Amino acid sequence: MNLIFLGPPGSGKGTLAANLHKLTGLPHISTGEMLRGYIRAGAPLGLRAKAFIDKGELVPDELVIEMVRERLSADDCKNGYMLDGFPRTVPQAEILDGFQTIERAVLLNLDDETIIARLSGRRVCSACGNTYHTSMLGESTACGKCGGLLVQRPDDSEATIRNRLRVYHSQTAPLVEYYRGKGILSEMSVEGTVEDNTGRLLRLLGMEKS
Ligand code: AP5
């Protein structure tokens, strides 16, 4: 299944996609994670993207689209994938439709104040990228998976989170009607726990184990 996650920053797209990957093996393709990888590597694409990411603005379409086109041509995507963070504008969606068939789009709904609380407390492993929330960490500053140092993403300051939300509502939210019009949109509230949300997502997609 070729699947897209839609939803505001911090709604849990990455967390749910990572869980679904563990349970189903579907590749999880996060454009934010790919761009941060290019930044860590000091690659020209990363250097161009960093200025936009740090302010909470979208990276120009042409930089992101080529990156995704290349990734989706890899062998592991032949039997389906999950896109997390792409498309983010209607032009990105239209170009994607020109070379891929998207079968489902799942919109994660969460209110802005809960999002700010979740993102302000997010910590990410600087080595493996695993994501945590301070509420589950106690005093720990090390990744439970690989022991790497947990850090706060530079775009997780409250001012930048608020800008990312503004950008989402103006530039990405129109995709909800875009995919609704194609008859492939499903919605779910993600106010509950990660475990509950994962179970409901599996049922929504008809992927639960009997
Ligand atoms: P990206 O990395 O995609 O950021 P985002 O969309 O802002 O999404 P996040 O990663 O912040 O949140 P998420 O929904 O994955 O939530 P998570 O699971 O981590 O993009 C970053 C930047 O890259 C963009 O701003 C842009 O500049 C650029 N970019 C990327 N793609 C682009 C594109 N296509 N075009 C142009 N520019 C692009 O969860 C958040 C927190 O909540 C975590 O701490 C988690 O532990 C916690 N949590 C999750 N679920 C729950 C729950 N049920 N209960 C309690 N806590 C929870």
Side-chain angles (χ1 to χ4, degrees):
M1 179 187 295
N2 296 343
L3 168 69
I4 285 174
F5 284 107
L6 288 176
S11 54
K13 303 180 294 294
T15 302
L16 283 177
N19 280 357
L20 210 61
H21 170 71
K22 271 186 227 146
L23 294 165
T24 68
L26 267 187
H28 168 198
I29 299 166
S30 157
T31 44
E33 205 37 64
M34 289 171 80
L35 290 166
R36 285 185 290 279
Y38 283 112
I39 293 172
R40 284 193 293 274
L45 172 58
L47 298 179
R48 289 180 69 188
K50 187 175 184 335
F52 296 94
I53 294 176
D54 286 352
K55 283 187 285 190
E57 302 291 335
L58 293 185
V59 173
D61 285 350
E62 64 272 16
L63 296 184
V64 181
I65 287 164
E66 282 321 304
M67 183 181 84
V68 171
R69 194 192 292 274
E70 192 185 329
R71 178 65 186 88
L72 294 184
S73 69
D75 276 353
D76 68 329
C77 294
K78 292 216 162 30
N79 295 319
Y81 51 79
M82 296 175 276
L83 278 171
D84 157 13
F86 186 93
R88 243 181 169 97
T89 61
V90 172
Q92 288 183 11
E94 288 171 344
I95 290 172
L96 180 66
D97 281 344
F99 68 99
Q100 293 286 311
T101 303
I102 300 304
E103 291 153 303
R104 298 288 295 265
V106 178
L107 170 64
L108 308 182
N109 286 315
L110 194 65
D111 65 90
D112 285 1
E113 290 312 310
T114 308
I115 282 171
I116 290 164
R118 285 190 186 175
L119 286 183
S120 321
R122 175 165 60 186
R123 296 294 179 269
V124 181
C125 175
S126 51
C128 75
N130 212 34
T131 297
Y132 300 86
H133 192 270
T134 45
S135 58
M136 57 167 97
L137 284 171
E139 297 295 300
S140 175
T141 55
C143 174
K145 206 166 134 195
C146 76
L149 182 67
L150 300 181
V151 296
Q152 187 166 30
R153 263 172 50 176
D155 59 345
D156 276 349
S157 69
E158 184 167 338
T160 307
I161 295 168
R162 288 195 187 275
N163 193 39
R164 285 159 62 199
L165 283 169
R166 272 192 294 276
V167 168
Y168 173 78
H169 290 301
S170 65
Q171 298 188 55
T172 306
L175 289 176
V176 173
E177 290 314 313
Y178 182 90
Y179 287 110
R180 201 192 308 279
K182 291 181 177 293
I184 58 170
L185 183 81
S186 305
E187 297 187 48
M188 63 180 269
S189 160
V190 284
E191 281 166 21
T193 64
V194 173
E195 290 69 28
D196 286 349
N197 292 341
T198 304
R200 283 190 298 115
L201 177 66
L202 285 169
R203 286 193 290 282
L204 186 72
L205 296 172
M207 289 176 164
E208 74 273 39
K209 297 238 162 60
S210 50

